[in-house]
Amino acid sequence: MNHTAVRLRSVTRSYGRNTGAVTALDGVCLDVPRGTFTAVMGPSGSGKSTLLQCAAGLDRPTAGQVFLGDTELTGLSERKLTLLRRTRIGFVFQAFNLLPALTAEQNVALPLRLAGRRPKRAEVLDVLERVGLRERAGHRPGELSGGQQQRVALARALITRPDVLFGDEPTGALDSTTGRQVLTLLRTMVDDGQTVIMVTHDPVAASYADRVLFLADGRVRDELPDPSAEQVAARMTRMAVASC
């Protein structure tokens, strides 16, 4: 069994052409072991979101290879890539992206319906139970707090039992207390075997990860294992000073 959940090999992503070309990722090599929590940080424009999008198959690199387990994403057709994203990859974004007319239960079941599967109610309620919202299954997003809505979004991402869960600033729209509840939930899921890769600007959020990768100018410039919020903040400050 391949113990690496995600691999990037010399991944470059450029936008535009000739003199107007911008390189968002510049030859990135990266291994993410299964069952680990990786946080990605860096200044604005460092390539964080592009890294996440290429690793998740949302964007195609200009050069290099991306693997999800043993599957190379860069060689897949759009149809196969769409199927893979629906079944093997989960996403949680800063915006909850819940459909307001649907209940929590119906929102969570949506990825299975899109994949052509008939959701089993027990399966949906089980994943809502994991995020502590089983009793809110019949509530619509407007009847839930921001933190509850993000936990529904998390349940929706987990319903397909994805190989990897990607988060793009998943606590960015939440207050600090609610954000920590969501991060604690993510940490528990990783301890139970889930792989999580999360972009964040928040040193406290990054401290829940097993390691933090620091990007600058499209390259991984530094790495911090077993991070504390203070260590992350200090490293980000050093990077900011170095770029001045």
Side-chain angles (χ1 to χ4, degrees):
M1 180 182 175
N2 189 340
H3 294 289
T4 304
V6 175
R7 284 182 291 152
L8 274 64
R9 291 292 177 265
S10 302
V11 169
T12 295
R13 182 64 172 102
S14 300
Y15 300 94
R17 293 183 177 180
N18 304 323
T19 56
V22 174
T23 301
L25 292 180
D26 189 6
V28 172
C29 292
L30 175 64
D31 283 23
V32 178
R34 291 185 188 277
T36 61
F37 192 164
T38 301
V40 181
M41 301 191 76
S44 179
S46 61
K48 302 185 299 294
S49 291
T50 305
L51 174 67
L52 198 75
Q53 289 164 4
C54 286
L58 287 171
D59 193 10
R60 289 186 185 272
T62 309
Q65 297 171 292
V66 178
F67 295 86
L68 179 69
D70 291 322
T71 305
E72 184 181 354
L73 305 191
T74 30
L76 296 180
S77 67
E78 282 301 326
R79 188 181 69 83
K80 288 185 177 178
L81 200 53
T82 298
L83 289 173
L84 179 139
R85 286 196 301 259
R86 284 180 181 170
T87 55
R88 296 179 58 190
I89 291 174
F91 303 97
V92 183
F93 299 100
Q94 181 171 333
F96 315 131
N97 296 325
L98 301 177
L99 295 180
L102 301 185
T103 64
E105 181 180 342
Q106 290 167 334
N107 268 287
V108 171
L110 199 56
L112 295 180
R113 294 191 182 281
L114 289 172
R117 286 177 53 192
R118 184 186 294 275
K120 295 179 181 175
R121 187 158 193 261
E123 186 179 10
V124 176
L125 292 178
D126 179 60
V127 76
L128 279 168
E129 177 83 37
R130 287 181 67 190
V131 300
L133 288 176
R134 184 186 176 107
E135 77 284 358
R136 297 289 188 136
H139 289 66
R140 290 184 170 81
E143 301 171 302
L144 303 172
S145 68
Q148 289 170 334
Q149 288 185 62
Q150 189 61 300
R151 282 189 278 156
V152 172
L154 193 52
R156 181 183 57 191
L158 292 169
I159 191 67
T160 60
R161 300 180 182 176
D163 295 5
V164 183
L165 179 65
F166 291 92
D168 194 354
E169 300 279 6
T171 58
L174 304 176
D175 63 67
S176 58
T177 301
T178 308
R180 289 180 193 198
Q181 291 171 352
V182 171
L183 289 162
T184 299
L185 191 55
L186 285 171
R187 180 69 252 176
T188 301
M189 289 171 180
V190 172
D191 293 340
D192 288 340
Q194 180 66 56
T195 306
V196 174
I197 302 174
M198 173 184 74
V199 164
T200 183
H201 69 280
D202 181 4
V204 172
S207 71
Y208 284 76
D210 298 305
R211 64 168 176 167
V212 183
L213 303 177
F214 297 92
L215 264 65
D217 301 319
R219 296 181 180 181
V220 178
R221 301 288 186 178
D222 207 352
E223 181 176 331
L224 185 64
D226 300 319
S228 68
E230 293 75 20
Q231 289 172 323
V232 173
R235 197 72 56 98
M236 286 293 289
T237 302
R238 284 213 301 273
M239 288 181 70
V241 170
S243 66
C244 292

